[in-house]
């Protein structure tokens, strides 16, 4: 649809950006914090570990001041489970509560709305040893953690996100350093979808608890949603795209919003004897959890084709690679899309298509919780970072949000990845996303000084004009 007149961004649109605790904070075992699965995992060769990251833990005041200078209306960050509960359950760490109180208060000082992710890939190592999400008790562990957060921060935090990219944990868990398969497991698919089921129930219970404890707050999921295109107009390819859409996207949102399993996914799991077991009360809990909005991360679309032969899983696949499932779909490289330096396709129009599809399926307000471009940035001798490629990427995506708003989709805000440079999930420090450059290399911590990139000044202008001046 071509619009003669574009609708403006809403007045209270949440312009901001995102980070996650284990990728940005550093201080990974400081002030009583326990280790998470990220701290004990084997770091990919040639990339730095997670002990210092951007050292946001010690620089948070300076970092929030820079975000305020850009005019942020929101800052999406995650709370490290192991800073609050070092063992995952049991004793609360007062220093951890103090840190997040300070962080939240610092945001509020500048009228920045804190948007809190409750779980971003960082299962406590102590709970990993107890089976992590494969243990049914994980539902209670997570709900208890949620309760501690609601009690301590619920007076000031109005926006909550449950589990970051649960769909990626399920689809490519090992790539992002989490989701483990117990030894001796005989049906891997069933095991993975059982863990996924526990996360779904935990999420539903946390949403219900949030509404009970904090009637003024809003809560939603934060999956990574990418509309899947068929590789051609061949009817088989259209069916394959529907299959991958179901497995990658709709399973998570059908469940969060309606409390039911997507029928295509359920049928596929049945075929493989892999349907998850429901514990007592699960069906009811799933029906009782209702999101107030849908948070979602978008980097690009996926494309796939029909395949009824065996599909080998690409071992190099990451969260943005369309994979394959025998008898369901097979990933296909879209010839119409350029890619980033790290091989991720770039598809701004797909952003609008994804928003349209999600809004028409669920009719809930949408909050963009991630979007962005990972690149090799260079700090010049005079302390500048020229990143026109990032500005171009973000500009094109913001244009598409405005078109989606004009399509009458309800949009709450835009929080790209990332507010500041941080450690990538599996590419270390070299793959940068931030508006703020952090002076460190993969292994040399240098000065950790902050520098404003060109995109910093550009985004400031975008926010000041409420998206008019791109
Ligand atoms: C998302 C994650 O998948 O993408 C973030 O929620 C991650 O944690 C971001 O950093 C970018 O991915 P990567 O692999 O380039 O760091």
């Amino acid at each position: 649809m071509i619009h003669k007149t574009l609708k403006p961004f809403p007045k209270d649109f949440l312009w901001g950006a995102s980070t996650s605790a284990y990728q940005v904070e550093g201080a990974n075992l400081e002030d009583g914090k326990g280790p998470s699965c990220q701290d004990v995992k084997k770091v990919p060769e040639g990339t730095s570990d997670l002990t210092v990251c951007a050292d946001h833990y010690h620089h948070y005041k300076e970092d929030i001041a820079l975000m305020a200078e850009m005019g942020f209306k929101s800052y999406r960050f995650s709370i490290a489970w192991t800073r609050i509960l070092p063992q995952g359950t049991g004793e609360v760490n007062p220093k951890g509560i103090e840190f997040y109180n300070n962080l939240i208060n610092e945001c509020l000082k500048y009228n920045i709305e804190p948007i809190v992710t409750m779980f971003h890939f960082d299962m406590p190592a102590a709970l990993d040893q107890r089976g992590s999400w494969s243990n049914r008790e994980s539902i209670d562990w997570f709900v208890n953690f949620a309760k501690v957060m609601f009690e301590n921060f619920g007076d000031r935090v109005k926006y909550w996100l449950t589990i970051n990219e649960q769909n990626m944990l399920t689809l490519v868990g090992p790539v992002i350093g989490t989701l483990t398969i117990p030894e001796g497991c005989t049906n891997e698919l069933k095991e993975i979808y059982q863990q996924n089921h526990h996360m779904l129930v935990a999420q539903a219970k946390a949403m219900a608890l949030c509404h009970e404890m904090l009637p003024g707050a809003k809560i939603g999921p934060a999956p990574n949603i990418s509309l899947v295109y068929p590789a051609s107009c061949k009817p088989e390819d259209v069916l394959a795209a529907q299959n991958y859409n179901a497995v990658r996207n709709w399973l998570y949102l059908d469940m969060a919003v309606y409390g039911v399993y997507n029928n295509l996914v359920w049928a596929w799991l049945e075929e493989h004897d892999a349907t998850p077991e429901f514990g007592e009360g699960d069906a009811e809990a799933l029906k009782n959890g209702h999101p107030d909005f849908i948070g979602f991360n978008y980097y690009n679309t996926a494309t796939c084709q029909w395949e009824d032969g065996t599909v080998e899983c690409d071992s190099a696949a990451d969260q943005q690679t369309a994979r394959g499932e025998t008898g369901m779909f097979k990933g296909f490289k879209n010839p119409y899309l350029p890619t980033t330096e790290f091989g991720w396709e770039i598809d701004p129009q797909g952003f609008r298509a994804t928003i349209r599809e999600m809004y028409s399926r669920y009719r809930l307000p949408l909050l963009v919780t991630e979007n962005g471009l990972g690149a090799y940035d260079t700090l010049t001798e005079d302390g500048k970072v020229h990143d026109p490629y990032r500005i171009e990427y973000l500009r094109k995506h913001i244009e598409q949000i405005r078109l989606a708003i004009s399509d009458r989709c309800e949009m709450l805000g835009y929080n790209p990845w990332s507010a500041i440079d941080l450690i990538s999930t599996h590419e270390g420090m070299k793959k940068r996303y931030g508006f703020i450059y952090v002076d460190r290399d993969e292994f040399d911590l240098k000065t950790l000084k902050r520098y404003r990139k060109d995109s910093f000044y550009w985004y400031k202008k975008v926010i000041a004009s409420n998206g008019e001046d791109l």
Side-chain angles (χ1 to χ4, degrees):
M1 195 184 311
I2 297 170
H3 297 286
K4 281 195 227 119
T5 325
L6 291 178
K7 295 207 170 13
F9 284 91
K11 279 204 174 51
D12 50 0
F13 192 70
L14 293 171
W15 296 102
S18 294
T19 62
S20 90
Y22 88 90
Q23 294 172 279
V24 77
E25 285 178 4
N28 72 330
L29 296 177
E30 214 171 297
D31 286 341
K33 181 182 172 294
S36 79
C37 62
Q38 298 290 350
D39 298 314
V40 297
K41 79 175 182 195
K42 193 172 168 298
V43 176
E45 207 177 320
T47 67
S48 85
D49 63 24
L50 298 154
T51 53
V52 178
C53 301
D55 204 24
H56 186 54
Y57 188 77
H58 297 112
H59 289 74
Y60 75 91
K61 283 194 180 182
E62 181 188 349
D63 294 344
I64 305 284
L66 285 164
M67 294 178 207
E69 189 184 319
M70 268 187 278
F72 277 23
K73 312 286 182 216
S74 53
Y75 172 37
R76 175 200 177 217
F77 57 88
S78 75
I79 290 188
W81 190 334
T82 48
R83 231 180 251 299
I84 303 293
L85 296 156
Q87 297 302 310
T89 56
E91 288 288 296
V92 172
N93 173 28
K95 285 276 188 194
I97 301 283
E98 187 186 321
F99 172 68
Y100 291 110
N101 270 333
N102 290 341
L103 187 64
I104 291 165
N105 293 342
E106 201 64 20
C107 289
L108 295 176
K109 184 168 121 189
Y110 297 104
N111 289 323
I112 296 176
E113 192 73 59
I115 301 175
V116 170
T117 314
M118 300 159 72
F119 180 76
H120 195 124
F121 301 161
D122 55 353
M123 180 58 100
L127 298 184
D128 236 7
Q129 281 169 7
R130 291 164 69 187
S132 188
W133 292 108
S134 68
N135 185 338
R136 193 179 155 75
E137 285 178 41
S138 57
I139 300 170
D140 294 339
W141 300 336
F142 184 72
V143 175
N144 172 60
F145 171 46
K147 183 161 173 274
V148 175
M149 285 189 283
F150 296 154
E151 276 166 357
N152 284 281
F153 313 121
D155 56 335
R156 286 153 294 150
V157 175
K158 303 288 172 239
Y159 288 89
W160 296 89
L161 298 161
T162 53
I163 299 179
N164 180 69
E165 296 195 355
Q166 186 186 323
N167 51 343
M168 293 303 119
L169 285 175
T170 300
L171 293 166
V172 289
V175 179
I176 43 195
T178 180
L179 202 115
T180 39
I181 308 295
E183 257 179 60
C185 168
T186 50
N187 184 341
E188 209 173 281
L189 194 64
K190 187 173 173 76
E191 169 60 31
I192 289 172
Y193 281 85
Q194 188 65 49
Q195 297 193 26
N196 186 60
H197 177 80
H198 293 152
M199 282 187 253
L200 291 169
V201 177
Q203 163 172 274
K205 288 192 167 184
M207 292 195 293
L209 184 69
C210 179
H211 292 135
E212 188 188 312
M213 291 177 65
L214 310 171
K218 294 183 191 305
I219 188 163
N224 174 323
I225 303 294
S226 294
L227 193 64
V228 182
Y229 300 148
S232 77
C233 52
K234 232 168 55 191
E236 291 91 326
D237 287 346
V238 173
L239 290 170
Q242 287 181 332
N243 289 343
Y244 191 38
N245 264 311
V247 170
R248 190 194 190 290
N249 301 316
W250 313 141
L251 160 63
Y252 301 89
L253 294 177
D254 287 359
M255 193 47 108
V257 179
Y258 305 126
V260 292
Y261 267 99
N262 178 282
N263 55 302
L264 296 183
V265 175
W266 194 261
W268 167 63
L269 293 176
E270 267 178 341
E271 283 289 317
H272 295 275
D273 210 5
T275 52
E277 306 299 329
F278 272 58
E280 210 188 313
D282 285 2
E284 203 190 343
L286 290 167
K287 281 273 178 202
N288 284 343
H290 301 287
D292 301 289
F293 63 89
I294 294 173
F296 73 105
N297 300 347
Y298 173 86
Y299 287 89
N300 50 45
T301 46
T303 305
C304 66
Q305 60 186 354
W306 181 257
E307 175 60 68
D308 44 16
T310 307
V311 180
E312 291 300 332
C313 256
D314 173 4
S315 58
D318 66 17
Q319 63 268 51
Q320 292 314 128
T321 316
R323 292 154 64 92
E325 288 295 343
T326 302
M328 290 280 279
F329 60 86
K330 187 177 168 194
F332 183 82
K333 186 166 172 0
N334 189 328
Y336 300 105
L337 302 177
T339 54
T340 71
E341 287 176 305
F342 287 85
W344 287 13
E345 289 171 348
I346 302 178
D347 185 7
Q349 282 182 310
F351 194 22
R352 181 185 183 189
T354 301
I355 293 170
R356 286 170 163 218
E357 187 67 23
M358 242 191 303
Y359 190 68
S360 68
R361 283 180 73 100
Y362 304 107
R363 288 296 177 135
L364 281 171
L366 304 175
L367 177 66
V368 181
T369 44
E370 281 181 38
N371 170 237
L373 179 83
Y376 298 97
D377 291 336
T378 313
L379 181 67
T380 61
E381 273 177 17
D382 57 349
K384 306 263 190 292
V385 177
H386 301 303
D387 56 347
Y389 38 83
R390 178 166 297 109
I391 295 176
E392 193 197 353
Y393 177 99
L394 297 171
R395 176 189 292 124
K396 288 188 168 163
H397 284 79
I398 294 173
E399 277 169 2
Q400 296 298 322
I401 302 181
R402 184 139 183 214
L403 283 162
I405 290 173
S406 304
D407 294 334
R408 294 207 165 274
C409 300
E410 199 181 339
M411 301 298 295
L412 292 178
Y414 181 62
N415 292 272
W417 191 259
S418 51
I420 183 166
D421 287 345
L422 39 70
I423 309 281
S424 145
T425 55
H426 59 292
E427 310 253 24
M429 193 68 201
K430 60 182 180 291
K431 189 182 188 187
R432 294 172 185 260
Y433 284 87
F435 293 104
I436 301 164
Y437 184 91
V438 177
D439 181 33
R440 63 158 288 181
D441 279 348
E442 209 66 79
F443 301 107
D444 181 356
L445 292 179
K446 296 188 164 177
T447 63
L448 288 170
K449 218 177 131 196
R450 277 56 176 149
Y451 292 88
R452 296 163 183 81
K453 301 186 191 177
D454 287 356
S455 55
F456 177 105
Y457 297 105
W458 171 81
Y459 195 40
K460 180 178 177 176
K461 187 186 71 166
V462 172
I463 299 176
S465 64
N466 199 27
E468 291 293 328
D469 187 357
L470 293 179

